[in-house]
């Protein structure tokens, strides 16, 4: 979809971008990450011609963008920046309609799409469409910024540290939201950040950039497992193993669990394990039973707080083990039916 | 006997009003907003009435006596103006309008009602009634036409100074130098070239260009008005947030879209402030146009200075101040409405 070939850019004598080659696939969530001053924002801006490289070529859908007028190109590419840049004299709706108006899209179609987009970013249109930017919180304003970038249904969206100025809770919510939107709309997203946790959480592919050079481009798990050099390793942080766990899911690591029915507890339990899970006749997890030579001890638990589900990450699993002071946790589905278990040993050995 | 009694009665009333107002101000928090207005109004009414009354009594006994408002009157008027402005600072729009209208009504009532007819300034007015209205309209015409022309020239200049950094400094260097030239020198400097042009171009002399009169006054006033206009247009555009500009460019706006949909609307309040400064300044400067034969309220001022007649000077100064203050008030209201519309600070 987007191909950057030998992109070089100098500001004076200082090379900001040094022979950059990148290939971003259609529908990919691509994250450019690097310390400040690494050239990541400049690189992003070459894609919509807000910066012109000194040499090298950029192709979007096999079309050389140097053949396209900057303004025309930019109207076809969504653009979100950290400071948002909502126009203070326009309502939320009019802000979203800026690009459709530039493209002279039919007004009614554009307006109904604007309202859909407000719903998509979870801002109820009736409440928000006539508000003005100064009436919005930082998180709300950035959601309008995202809706605005999507207004003309562009195949590509460029995002320059969009969540950099938000508080951690809002940031996390918006990260989840943008992942959901990415899945729903199948846009190609190029996302610039300096926050490694953010990159690992949302990126399908990450390019690490330093002093204008791409150091490593790969999927997050691979980068975490095999950092190319000490810079990448340092950048990922000493807890990179834990970060990797945040990209691995319980469903892929769980194994079958041994269990007994609650109403058969009085029977002799045949197992070589120290404990078994206890379920009721509907397979719903009720607790566990600890077995020893001196007899057995039944502990009742609430599956909602104790059990994991398939969609949780191994990082969540380890965290829950620490909280509950156990080495093994049950895995349940939404109804509480036991589907397996996961142990600390499995996590340590298999990942 | 009779005058001195009125005099001292009036003095005691006004003094006690002021003392009462001071006490009330000290003990009552809301005194400023309402009481000060009431007291100011009372003092104005008392002063105008007693001055007019006194003048009539003097006139009855001595037909050639000239009774003018003294320095104390003007100072009091100025102080009352300050008090009213201060009292209205945080007042609502309707209340402000009502108070201003009330004061205007009081003055108009006293002037048109003939209560002040025997005061010198009114006698000067009656002696020059026709001329007075003519000079006011000349003054207004000269001021507004000059500011309109200056605005017409300043808009493209301010925008160019903002868009092309190379010419920014040059534009401001020229405008700053123009501003430092004293008005009289500017009028004088314009006489020769304009007279020359008018002599050698039938077209120019036909449209009324001459070394003296409207043409040099108009040109000088336009040149003076351009600095505040260009400066505020430039600063207004420059002050539009860089984030907003970046986001707008990133969405695919070209420079025309950016200018008309983003930069000019967001700079509107500052540009209008420049227009206000230019307007008030031009209304004041236009008084000097009388020196070069262009007429205006300056005619009375300079005539009065020549005859050492304070009342005649005041006949020029008072309407001048009234026009300038009203223009500022109207512009402030427009600016307030514009910035509310644009920045939506409700």
């Amino acid at each position: 979809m987007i191909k950057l070939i030998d992109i070089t850019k100098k500001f004076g004598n200082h090379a900001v971008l040094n022979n950059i080659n990148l290939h971003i696939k259609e529908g990919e969530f691509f994250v450019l990450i690097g310390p400040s001053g690494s050239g990541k924002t400049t690189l992003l801006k070459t894609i919509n011609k807000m910066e012109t490289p000194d040499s090298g070529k950029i192709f979007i859908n096999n079309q050389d963008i140097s053949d396209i007028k900057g303004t025309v190109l930019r109207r076809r590419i969504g653009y979100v920046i950290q400071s948002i840049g909502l126009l203070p004299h326009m309502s939320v709706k009019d802000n979203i309609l800026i690009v459709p108006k530039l493209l002279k899209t039919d007004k009614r179609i554009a307006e109904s799409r604007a309202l859909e987009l407000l719903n998509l970013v979870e801002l109820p249109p009736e409440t928000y469409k006539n508000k003005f930017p100064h009436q919005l919180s930082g998180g709300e304003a950035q959601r309008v910024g995202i809706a605005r970038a999507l207004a003309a249904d562009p195949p590509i969206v460029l995002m320059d540290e969009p969540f950099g100025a938000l508080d951690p809770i809002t940031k996390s919510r918006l990260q989840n939201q943008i992942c959901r939107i990415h899945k729903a709309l199948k846009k190609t997203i190029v996302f610039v950040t300096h926050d490694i946790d953010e990159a690992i959480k949302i990126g399908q592919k990450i390019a690490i950039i330093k002093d204008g050079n791409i150091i490593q481009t790969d999927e997050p798990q691979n980068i975490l497992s095999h950092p190319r050099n000490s810079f990448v390793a340092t950048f990922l942080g000493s807890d990179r193993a834990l970060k990797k766990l945040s990209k691995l899911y319980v469903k892929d690591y769980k194994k079958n669990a041994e269990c007994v029915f609650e109403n058969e507890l009085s029977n002799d339990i045949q197992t070589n394990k120290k404990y078994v899970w206890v379920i009721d006749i509907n397979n719903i997890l009720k607790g566990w039973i600890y077995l020893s030579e001196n007899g057995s001890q039944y502990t009742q638990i609430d599956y909602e707080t104790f059990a994991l589900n398939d969609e949780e990450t191994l990082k969540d699993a380890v965290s829950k083990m620490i909280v509950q002071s156990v080495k093994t946790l049950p895995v349940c589905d939404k109804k509480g039916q036991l589907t397996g278990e996961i142990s600390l040993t499995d996590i340590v050995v298999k990942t | 006997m009779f005058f001195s009694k009125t005099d001292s009665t009036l003095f005691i009333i006004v003094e006690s009003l002021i003392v009462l107002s001071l006490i009330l101000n000290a003990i009552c928090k809301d005194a400023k907003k309402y009481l000060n207005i009431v007291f100011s109004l009372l003092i104005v009414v008392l002063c105008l009435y007693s001055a007019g009354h006194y003048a009539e009594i003097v006139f009855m006994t001595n037909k050639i006596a000239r009774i003018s408002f003294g320095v104390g009157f003007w100072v009091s008027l100025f102080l009352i103006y300050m008090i009213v402005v201060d009292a209205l600072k945080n007042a609502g729009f309707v209340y402000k309008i009502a108070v201003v209208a009330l004061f205007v009504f009081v003055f108009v009532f006293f002037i048109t009602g003939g209560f002040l007819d025997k005061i010198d300034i009114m006698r000067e007015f009656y002696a020059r009634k026709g001329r007075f209205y003519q000079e006011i309209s000349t003054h207004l015409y000269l001021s507004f036409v000059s500011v309109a022309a200056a605005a017409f020239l300043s808009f493209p200049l301010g925008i160019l100074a903002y868009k092309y950094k190379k010419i920014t400094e040059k534009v401001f260097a020229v405008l700053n130098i123009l501003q430092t030239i004293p008005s009289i020198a500017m009028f004088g400097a314009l006489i020769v070239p304009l007279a020359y042009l008018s002599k050698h171009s039938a077209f120019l002399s036909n449209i009324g260009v001459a070394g003296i009169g409207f043409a040099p006054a108009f040109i000088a006033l336009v040149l003076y008005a351009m600095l505040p206009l260009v400066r505020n247009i430039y600063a207004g555009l420059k002050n539009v947030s860089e984030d907003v500009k970046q986001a707008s460019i990133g969405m695919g706006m070209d420079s025309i879209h950016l200018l008309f949909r983003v930069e000019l609307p967001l700079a509107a309040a500052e540009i209008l402030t420049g227009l206000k400064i230019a307007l008030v300044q031009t209304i004041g400067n236009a008084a000097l146009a009388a020196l070069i034969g262009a007429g205006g309220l300056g005619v009375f001022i300079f005539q009065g200075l020549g005859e050492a007649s304070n009342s005649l000077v005041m006949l020029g100064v008072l309407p001048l101040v009234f026009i300038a203050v009203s223009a500022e008030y109207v512009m402030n209201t427009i600016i307030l409405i514009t910035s509310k519309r644009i920045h939506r600070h409700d």
Side-chain angles (χ1 to χ4, degrees):
Chain A
M1 177 113 207
I2 308 171
K3 262 190 205 141
L4 287 81
I5 298 165
D6 290 335
I7 298 297
T8 300
K9 169 99 186 162
K10 280 182 184 169
F11 287 148
N13 284 327
H14 173 65
V16 206
L17 298 174
N18 218 340
N19 269 315
I20 302 273
N21 284 285
L22 273 184
H23 183 200
I24 300 164
K25 291 193 198 110
E26 185 159 356
E28 199 163 46
F29 202 130
F30 195 97
V31 176
L32 286 168
I33 186 166
S36 39
S38 58
K40 53 192 192 300
T41 293
T42 312
L43 183 59
L44 187 80
K45 283 182 168 179
T46 59
I47 299 174
N48 69 359
K49 286 184 87 172
M50 287 183 70
E51 295 281 358
T52 317
D54 297 335
S55 66
K57 291 223 173 273
I58 297 172
F59 294 92
I60 294 179
N61 285 332
N62 296 321
Q63 194 184 6
D64 186 343
I65 64 164
S66 59
D67 299 337
I68 310 173
K69 213 174 149 193
T71 51
V72 174
L73 179 73
R74 287 194 280 274
R75 288 171 203 174
R76 298 196 327 224
I77 298 179
Y79 187 55
V80 183
I81 55 177
Q82 181 179 339
S83 50
I84 312 168
L86 294 181
L87 304 194
H89 58 304
M90 292 186 187
S91 68
V92 164
K93 190 179 83 180
D94 288 337
N95 263 288
I96 296 175
L97 288 175
I98 291 171
V99 182
K101 269 184 190 158
L102 288 171
L103 291 167
K104 301 190 169 64
T105 313
D106 180 79
K107 205 179 160 193
R108 257 188 296 164
I109 297 174
E111 281 194 15
S112 72
R113 182 165 169 82
L115 301 187
E116 271 172 41
L117 284 167
L118 278 175
N119 273 322
L120 185 72
V121 295
E122 290 167 3
L123 296 173
E126 288 316 310
T127 322
Y128 283 94
K129 67 178 181 185
N130 292 326
K131 285 201 176 190
F132 281 83
H134 77 274
Q135 298 169 309
L136 304 175
S137 71
E140 288 168 341
Q142 192 54 285
R143 282 188 269 170
V144 175
I146 292 169
R148 184 173 70 171
L150 294 167
D153 204 9
I156 300 170
V157 179
L158 307 181
M159 307 183 97
D160 191 354
E161 301 199 29
F163 309 141
L166 303 175
D167 65 84
I169 294 168
T170 313
K171 189 171 179 171
S172 167
R173 267 183 70 191
L174 286 196
Q175 286 165 347
N176 296 335
Q177 207 164 48
I178 195 70
C179 287
R180 199 170 45 72
I181 290 170
H182 173 248
K183 266 184 204 150
L185 302 182
K186 298 181 176 61
K187 302 286 178 195
T188 308
I189 297 180
V190 188
F191 190 106
V192 162
T193 181
H194 61 253
D195 177 351
I196 186 70
D197 293 311
E198 182 169 70
I200 291 163
K201 182 175 173 186
I202 62 179
Q204 290 175 329
K205 212 164 194 190
I206 296 177
I208 296 176
I209 180 165
K210 184 202 174 200
D211 299 335
N213 295 294
I214 300 262
I215 310 290
Q216 188 171 8
T217 310
D218 211 330
E219 288 165 18
Q221 302 93 299
N222 294 344
I223 290 186
L224 288 163
S225 313
H226 311 288
R228 176 166 292 167
N229 59 23
S230 61
F231 168 75
V232 179
T234 319
F235 195 71
L236 294 171
S238 49
D239 61 341
R240 67 184 151 90
L242 285 177
K243 282 174 182 147
K244 187 179 163 190
L245 294 183
S246 70
K247 295 299 277 188
L248 304 174
Y249 292 92
V250 165
K251 61 172 178 251
D252 302 320
Y253 289 85
K254 70 180 178 186
K255 58 182 187 190
N256 287 334
E258 281 187 53
C259 54
V260 294
F261 286 111
E262 201 175 18
N263 53 9
E264 292 170 3
L265 279 179
S266 48
N267 301 359
D268 202 21
I269 296 162
Q270 292 300 317
T271 179
N272 50 4
K273 282 198 156 184
K274 279 187 181 167
Y275 67 90
V276 286
W277 303 110
V278 177
I279 55 176
D280 69 7
I281 46 165
N282 294 321
N283 286 347
I284 290 170
L285 182 69
K286 285 295 172 187
W288 82 73
I289 190 153
Y290 179 77
L291 306 161
S292 71
E293 283 149 20
N294 308 332
S296 56
Q297 190 192 344
Y298 177 38
T299 311
Q300 285 188 311
I301 51 171
D302 174 18
Y303 75 86
E304 275 181 29
T305 52
F306 200 83
L308 294 163
N309 67 56
D310 280 354
E311 301 308 318
E312 282 182 278
T313 66
L314 294 190
K315 194 178 172 186
D316 300 326
V318 172
S319 168
K320 220 167 206 172
M321 284 172 191
I322 294 166
V323 170
Q324 305 289 355
S325 308
V326 293
K327 282 185 187 165
T328 307
L329 282 172
V331 182
C332 289
D333 61 16
K334 276 179 191 154
K335 291 176 201 154
Q337 293 176 331
L338 187 70
T339 63
E341 67 176 20
I342 195 159
S343 73
L344 189 58
T345 324
D346 295 336
I347 294 173
V348 173
V349 175
K350 288 185 189 167
T351 57
Chain B
M1 183 64 191
F2 178 68
F3 318 138
S4 64
K5 195 178 163 198
T6 354
D7 268 2
S8 54
T9 321
L10 174 74
F11 180 76
I12 291 165
I13 294 174
V14 170
E15 283 297 296
S16 44
L17 275 176
I18 292 169
V19 172
L20 190 60
S21 143
L22 280 173
I23 295 168
L24 286 169
N25 265 298
I27 53 172
C28 176
K29 241 170 100 185
D30 269 344
K32 209 166 107 177
K33 203 170 161 189
Y34 303 108
L35 275 172
N36 285 6
I37 301 282
V38 174
F39 280 89
S40 304
L41 203 62
L42 276 175
I43 291 172
V44 167
V45 168
L46 276 171
C47 286
L48 288 178
Y49 175 76
S50 56
H53 188 66
Y54 180 76
E56 249 164 54
I57 292 164
V58 172
F59 187 76
M60 278 191 292
T61 53
N62 185 351
K63 296 279 184 228
I64 57 161
R66 306 191 65 135
I67 294 107
S68 308
F69 292 121
V71 176
F73 176 82
W74 299 118
V75 172
S76 312
L77 216 55
F78 175 71
L79 287 178
I80 282 174
Y81 173 73
M82 300 295 278
I83 289 168
V84 171
V85 166
D86 181 57
L88 292 180
K89 211 160 56 187
N90 298 317
F93 186 69
V94 178
Y95 183 66
K96 263 186 198 173
I97 291 281
V99 169
V100 172
L102 200 59
F103 274 92
V104 170
F105 171 77
V106 166
F107 280 101
V108 170
F109 177 77
F110 272 97
I111 293 166
T112 58
F115 292 95
L116 303 174
D117 280 359
K118 297 296 179 281
I119 304 254
D120 203 29
I121 186 167
M122 288 308 288
R123 294 169 71 188
E124 296 282 11
F125 167 71
Y126 285 119
R128 299 175 169 74
K129 212 170 169 181
R131 186 79 195 277
F132 180 79
Y133 291 127
Q134 185 200 323
E135 296 304 351
I136 279 197
S137 70
T138 306
H139 200 100
L140 287 173
Y141 177 75
L142 186 59
S143 306
F144 283 105
V145 167
S146 303
V147 171
F152 187 73
L153 294 172
S154 300
F155 253 94
L157 203 58
I159 290 166
L160 287 174
Y162 165 67
K163 291 272 180 192
Y164 302 99
K165 290 185 181 62
K166 277 183 190 168
I167 67 160
T168 312
E169 268 184 46
K170 287 166 194 156
V171 167
F172 283 107
V174 172
L175 291 174
N176 278 319
I177 288 173
L178 283 175
Q179 203 75 11
T180 61
I181 301 175
S183 331
I184 297 178
M186 178 94 89
F187 291 137
L190 284 168
I191 291 174
V192 176
L194 284 175
Y196 178 84
L197 283 174
S198 133
K199 197 178 172 193
H200 289 85
S201 154
F203 171 71
L204 287 179
S205 66
N206 280 341
I207 61 164
V209 173
I212 55 165
F214 179 79
F218 170 75
I219 291 173
L221 290 177
V222 167
L223 292 178
Y224 284 129
M226 278 175 76
L227 179 68
L229 280 165
V230 175
R231 191 179 50 204
N232 278 49
I233 291 166
Y234 173 81
L237 293 172
K238 192 101 182 154
N239 286 347
V240 173
S241 132
E242 199 53 44
D243 304 330
V244 168
K245 289 179 199 167
Q246 281 289 308
S248 304
I249 295 167
M251 284 186 288
M253 289 197 187
D254 56 32
S255 52
I256 300 290
H257 286 126
L258 188 65
L259 186 65
F260 285 100
R261 293 195 196 170
V262 181
E263 289 169 330
L264 283 177
L266 291 179
E270 207 152 341
I271 292 172
L272 286 171
T273 305
L275 192 62
K276 177 186 81 176
I277 297 168
L279 195 59
V280 173
Q281 176 195 299
T282 304
I283 289 169
N285 277 346
L288 293 167
L291 290 175
I292 199 157
L297 290 164
V299 168
F300 302 122
I301 299 173
F302 291 111
Q303 206 179 334
L305 287 174
E307 297 172 13
S309 159
N310 275 342
S311 301
L312 195 51
V313 173
M314 279 300 172
L315 190 64
V317 170
L318 286 181
L320 187 74
V321 170
F322 180 76
I323 293 168
V325 170
S326 323
E328 179 162 9
Y329 190 77
V330 169
M331 285 306 293
N332 277 339
T333 310
I334 294 174
I335 291 163
L336 195 73
I337 293 168
T338 315
S339 59
K340 257 192 188 163
R341 270 185 68 95
I342 287 174
H343 298 286
R344 306 279 171 173
H345 292 313
D346 42 15

